[in-house]
Amino acid sequence: MNRALTLDDFVLAGIALAAGLVLAFLSRMLLRWLAKHAKRTKWSGDDVIVDALRSVVPWAAIAGGAASAAAVLPLTRTVQHHVNQILQVWLIFVVTLSAARVIAGLVRSVTQSRSGVAGSATIFVNITRVLVLAIGFLVVLQTLGISIAPLLTALGVGGLAVALALQDTLANLFAGVHILASKTVQPGDYIRLSSGEEGYVVDINWRQTTVRQLSNNLVVVPNGQLAKTNMTNFTRPEQRLTVLVQVGVSYDSDLDHVERVTSEVIAQTMTEIAGAVPDHEPAIRFHTFGDSRIGFTVILGVGEFSDQYRIKHEFVKRLHRRYREEGIHIPAPARTVALQQGSLVIPQQRTGEDVPSRSSVAD
């Protein structure tokens, strides 16, 4: 010490410390009020920023009060220097954690708004959080007077060794970054892989992609495998899609009447069933003279992939009921079977409802 401590020194230090505590309390109350108003806005980024400031500002006020208290005390230069370093490291630590929370929250908000689903792409969030924490750690070392140049050199050499040892992991990491950056797949998309797996993409993290099947089971696919396989995305470039329903009527049917009745059933189904697209123009296309029927295809519009099952279910039921009311016949397959008895051939008609059998008559 340059001089002995007096009562005035303790009083001034206590006042400075108390001022920091009061300022921290008032700032926390103000930020709590701002947080309530931030929740009323549509943008979720202001919620993340205010929540982080609620952690930074009070601690910064306390650190300022402690620094002021140390400044008024008759401390030696060495002690003063160490006190300032401790407060700086403390403040950098708090700011780094808050910055990591803010930036990670903003990245999560952006990914959710672009994908339009509740699930988040955690790969970008985790990478951002690690980078911010690493930068804060280097700043702390520099503040303590520790040179970071040897550390960066060691990290470079060690990083090369780690990269060779973790080739598959790094391949999955970069494949996940490429998938999200190219927007070929995003959380919420419905995909089908060439290997047969299909479902909604729940999450894409640093190593794997999680897919939820319609049976509510989860399928985990490594990002490297996902990037190399053939894949169909039923959500892009547009979530709406068309589905095909195959129908057949007998040869004695009036095709104009069949087309008119089918169009009426389509219009009724599209307006009454959830998930259908009423403004989509349906199509009826006759295309095949089959063995026992004239085949045609009905093209319907649905809102998204899983809606097609409910719409097909209702459309087939309503079309079958309406055909019965209109007297439109949907024939069963028919075959002509010839039974040979000696040199006499007896043709017989069989329908698809008959039970197949073989009969032979001895001479």
Side-chain angles (χ1 to χ4, degrees):
M1 294 182 181
N2 297 329
R3 60 181 177 82
L5 289 172
T6 63
L7 182 60
D8 294 338
D9 295 332
F10 285 110
V11 171
L12 292 176
I15 292 174
L17 188 59
L21 294 175
V22 172
L23 183 60
F25 177 76
L26 294 177
S27 62
R28 189 168 182 83
M29 296 296 295
L30 176 61
L31 290 172
R32 183 179 298 178
W33 177 80
L34 290 176
K36 294 181 180 180
H37 288 274
K39 292 181 180 180
R40 301 176 184 176
T41 61
K42 297 181 179 179
W43 185 48
S44 59
D46 53 358
D47 298 333
V48 177
I49 295 175
V50 173
D51 183 60
L53 290 177
R54 291 176 63 181
S55 301
V56 175
V57 175
W59 286 110
I62 295 174
S68 300
V72 299
L73 293 175
L75 304 177
T76 62
R77 291 184 178 181
T78 303
V79 176
Q80 186 71 38
H81 175 70
H82 289 315
V83 171
N84 291 335
Q85 275 192 336
I86 293 174
L87 293 176
Q88 289 177 5
V89 170
W90 180 19
L91 191 57
I92 292 173
F93 178 74
V94 173
V95 171
T96 300
L97 291 180
S98 301
R101 183 188 303 177
V102 170
I103 298 176
L106 292 177
V107 171
R108 183 183 292 107
S109 176
V110 171
T111 54
Q112 288 182 354
S113 63
R114 289 188 177 183
S115 61
V117 294
S120 62
T122 58
I123 181 172
F124 285 149
V125 176
N126 293 335
I127 291 176
T128 302
R129 184 181 291 113
V130 170
L131 288 177
V132 174
L133 293 177
I135 293 174
F137 177 71
L138 294 177
V139 173
V140 169
L141 294 180
Q142 193 70 26
T143 303
L144 295 175
I146 302 175
S147 177
I148 62 175
L151 178 61
L152 294 177
T153 304
L155 288 176
V157 177
L160 179 60
V162 172
L164 294 176
L166 300 177
Q167 294 184 18
D168 294 338
T169 302
L170 293 177
N172 290 326
L173 172 63
F174 289 114
V177 173
H178 171 71
I179 290 172
L180 286 176
S182 61
K183 296 184 179 181
T184 55
V185 180
Q186 293 190 24
D189 292 353
Y190 192 94
I191 63 173
R192 176 184 295 163
L193 305 182
S194 59
S195 55
E197 295 88 354
E198 64 178 270
Y200 290 97
V201 177
V202 178
D203 186 37
I204 304 175
N205 59 29
W206 64 275
R207 183 181 181 276
Q208 62 203 15
T209 297
T210 305
V211 178
R212 178 176 57 84
Q213 297 179 320
L214 295 179
S215 58
N216 212 29
N217 297 324
L218 294 180
V219 178
V220 178
V221 183
N223 292 333
Q225 179 181 346
L226 183 65
K228 293 186 295 184
T229 188
N230 295 330
M231 176 185 61
T232 303
N233 193 332
F234 292 94
T235 308
R236 302 185 183 279
E238 186 179 0
Q239 190 174 14
R240 293 182 177 182
L241 68 154
T242 57
V243 295
L244 308 180
V245 180
Q246 304 298 330
V247 190
V249 294
S250 63
Y251 277 92
D252 57 356
S253 301
D254 183 354
L255 297 186
D256 291 332
H257 179 59
V258 170
E259 185 174 7
R260 183 171 59 256
V261 171
T262 305
S263 298
E264 294 175 357
V265 175
I266 293 174
Q268 182 185 20
T269 305
M270 291 295 100
T271 55
E272 296 180 0
I273 304 303
V277 183
D279 57 349
H280 178 270
E281 183 177 357
I284 301 173
R285 297 293 182 264
F286 294 93
H287 54 72
T288 304
F289 289 100
D291 294 338
S292 59
R293 66 182 69 187
I294 297 178
F296 63 95
T297 300
V298 178
I299 304 175
L300 306 175
V302 298
E304 61 102 12
F305 186 86
S306 62
D307 292 334
Q308 62 176 305
Y309 302 106
R310 178 174 59 257
I311 295 172
K312 284 183 178 180
H313 170 76
E314 291 293 334
F315 173 70
V316 170
K317 288 199 308 182
R318 298 181 183 210
L319 188 65
H320 180 262
R321 181 169 59 249
R322 184 66 184 278
Y323 277 4
R324 294 184 63 179
E325 294 175 355
E326 298 290 337
I328 299 175
H329 182 54
I330 302 177
R335 296 291 186 272
T336 300
V337 180
L339 300 178
Q340 184 174 2
Q341 184 176 6
S343 59
L344 179 63
V345 178
I346 306 175
Q348 296 183 358
Q349 292 289 335
R350 299 177 57 197
T351 66
E353 298 176 352
D354 297 335
V355 178
S357 63
R358 293 184 180 180
S359 62
S360 60
V361 180
D363 294 339

